Amino acid sequence: MSLLRVLDRRPLDRQVAVRELAARGFGWADLDGEPYWLDEVVAMDPYLYHELKSAAAGLWQVFDRAVRYAHGRRELYALCGVPSLLWNMLDALPLPPEGEISRYARFDFAVTPEGGIRLLELNADTPTGYAEAAAATPWLCRQAGLTSPNEAMASLLKTAWAKERPDTLACAAYGAHAEDTGTIDLLAAHSGLAPQRIDLLELSVDQGIVKDAAGRAIERMFALYPKEWMALDEGGEALAYAIERGQLALFNPPHAILLQSKGLQALIWGLYELELLYSEQERSWIRRYMLPTYTKPLFDGAYVSKSMFGREGGSVKLYDDTGGVEEEDREGFDTSVFFPVVYQQRADLPALRLGGRQQHLLTGLFMLDGQPCGLLGRAGGRITGNASQFVPIGVNGHV
């Protein structure tokens, strides 16, 4: 029995729906004249959703424990590909409480119609897709008669940020880049706070004080800015110093870079194979839901290579059973020129008919304030790149 089914929603008036979604905070249903939101809806069986939610909760514990094991061990920072510029910052700042290293994260899974669940990566620093999941998916699921666990996302974000209380939200090209600006605006609306929203590129650092374009000192900031780029960007060292000295609290917290690194998956798998650190329950989660991951290509069969800090598929290569490159993403930016690579056993995404053709479905599950709460579907090629499209996922029953 198939636990994932595609529901055709073409009777829904797309123009009316696009206006409705924009009013709810998702204003880029079409990009560059092409549909980004696909009209179909994917229906997930309740059993599969509960299994996925359980997997995410267990793996959240597994990843948290690995970061605590690595904290203060610079040889493990290096293994995880964390730039050395950030090591002092990671050592100087205390680790957040258990389960709170990131309050805004997203797991990405390969979930098959037969019920298989395999983790591909954890986006624990600056995950995208919040508006698609929190604003668009619940409304679209209601139109399709499906239940959406995403209904809880806004309240969980509000709870998380009531603790963090950022005074500023930032992204590059705020006001010009539609997706990032819209995401920042929706996060601000859902936060229950009244944070300033600014262009990240206009920040300056003066004697360890971070300031916006108007000269206002910033003390607590959420930024759609991958922390590893502090090692590469002009001004990144000054920003890291401000955080290290406690002049700026950055959200997600700096230790989220360890959660974010795909090298942490190699560390987890190594600890699992050596029978270190983890309880039998945690080992069962690793065995059932994770993929063998190494810093060298140690596979007899098909595998994948990707940058420890890659995004949007730009560094991903798929290798066949003979070790030859079968496919690679040539469109996205290849971050492996800056960061080390991991090698992971290959788990192909399921093929479904979406948008009038066969596409591969990546299933994301948001973690807000430590709670698994929001499904995000993306459809594209076997490598989910920047050209992928959004497809809502709902549950065909109670959750």
Side-chain angles (χ1 to χ4, degrees):
M1 181 179 71
S2 177
L3 302 180
L4 285 175
R5 295 186 298 112
V6 177
L7 306 181
D8 190 345
R9 296 304 304 156
R10 280 180 294 183
L12 191 66
D13 188 315
R14 185 176 179 89
Q15 290 186 339
V16 172
V18 166
R19 290 195 296 270
E20 180 66 32
L21 294 175
R24 293 172 179 273
F26 173 59
W28 50 99
D30 297 313
L31 287 171
D32 300 323
E34 297 293 330
Y36 166 59
W37 156 53
L38 294 176
D39 291 347
E40 295 95 345
V41 179
V42 175
M44 180 180 290
D45 185 88
Y47 166 81
L48 180 56
Y49 172 70
H50 286 294
E51 177 78 6
L52 184 64
K53 187 177 178 181
S54 176
L59 292 174
W60 193 245
Q61 182 175 319
V62 165
F63 274 69
D64 186 272
R65 188 181 289 269
V67 170
R68 294 177 196 283
Y69 179 82
H71 186 230
R73 303 186 187 199
R74 295 192 166 195
E75 72 278 10
L76 297 183
Y77 293 170
L79 182 143
C80 291
V82 177
S84 58
L85 175 71
L86 306 183
W87 293 0
N88 285 340
M89 179 181 71
L90 294 177
D91 287 345
L93 299 175
L95 276 169
E98 184 176 343
E100 297 180 6
I101 294 172
S102 171
R103 293 189 188 275
Y104 173 67
R106 191 192 72 234
F107 282 112
D108 283 343
F109 292 96
V111 179
T112 69
E114 297 75 34
I117 298 173
R118 290 293 181 271
L119 175 70
L120 301 181
E121 60 189 58
L122 170 59
N123 298 283
D125 190 7
T126 56
T128 57
Y130 180 81
E132 291 90 321
T137 294
W139 186 83
L140 290 166
C141 285
R142 284 196 295 273
Q143 311 314 304
L146 298 177
T147 302
S148 176
N150 300 26
E151 300 276 6
M153 291 181 70
S155 62
L156 284 169
L157 183 90
K158 184 176 181 179
T159 299
W161 283 16
K163 303 168 188 175
E164 307 287 15
R165 301 198 66 81
D167 57 48
T168 304
L169 307 186
C171 69
Y174 178 78
H177 189 282
E179 294 173 76
D180 287 354
T181 299
T183 299
I184 287 292
D185 287 344
L186 190 62
L187 289 169
H190 285 182
S191 73
L193 307 172
Q196 295 289 319
R197 287 161 280 174
I198 65 169
D199 187 341
L200 189 66
L201 302 177
E202 295 178 354
L203 290 179
S204 63
V205 184
D206 181 13
Q207 297 183 350
I209 305 297
V210 180
K211 299 180 178 181
D212 65 15
R216 177 183 62 94
I218 299 171
E219 297 180 352
R220 306 177 69 79
M221 180 173 70
F222 172 85
L224 284 178
Y225 175 69
K227 293 172 180 61
E228 67 270 16
W229 288 100
M230 281 189 269
L232 302 171
D233 288 344
E234 182 180 351
E237 184 173 1
L239 183 62
Y241 179 74
I243 298 167
E244 178 188 334
R245 293 292 301 272
Q247 303 283 62
L248 174 70
L250 194 64
F251 308 116
N252 284 305
H255 299 100
I257 192 174
L258 288 166
L259 279 179
Q260 174 82 18
S261 170
K262 298 175 186 67
L264 191 74
Q265 294 182 61
L267 174 60
I268 292 169
W269 194 260
L271 292 168
Y272 167 77
E273 289 190 325
L274 294 170
E275 299 186 2
L276 298 174
L277 187 64
Y278 291 111
S279 68
E280 186 51 45
Q281 175 61 75
E282 290 164 336
R283 288 175 54 78
S284 71
W285 290 327
I286 295 169
R287 182 169 54 249
R288 183 166 185 173
Y289 301 121
M290 292 189 69
L291 294 161
T293 306
Y294 305 99
T295 56
K296 296 180 180 179
L298 303 176
F299 298 97
D300 293 329
Y303 65 93
V304 178
S305 69
K306 45 192 170 183
S307 169
M308 291 187 184
F309 292 105
R311 284 173 170 80
E312 300 293 351
S315 66
V316 177
K317 295 181 181 179
L318 304 182
Y319 295 82
D320 60 24
D321 288 335
T322 68
V325 176
E326 185 174 326
E327 188 172 333
E328 62 182 298
D329 187 330
R330 297 182 180 276
E331 300 297 323
F333 179 68
D334 184 0
T335 56
S336 66
V337 299
F338 297 121
F339 305 108
V341 168
V342 294
Y343 302 87
Q344 188 177 74
Q345 187 180 82
R346 185 164 154 183
D348 288 336
L349 298 172
L352 301 173
R353 189 159 184 83
L354 294 161
R357 64 186 189 279
Q358 286 290 104
Q359 298 206 63
H360 296 266
L361 178 70
L362 180 70
T363 301
L365 185 64
F366 274 88
M367 299 289 298
L368 300 180
D369 202 28
Q371 301 298 314
C373 61
L375 292 164
L376 174 68
R378 286 184 291 165
R382 289 186 295 176
I383 299 172
T384 307
N386 197 44
S388 65
Q389 296 171 287
F390 158 58
V391 56
I393 303 176
V395 180
N396 191 24
H398 296 293
V399 295

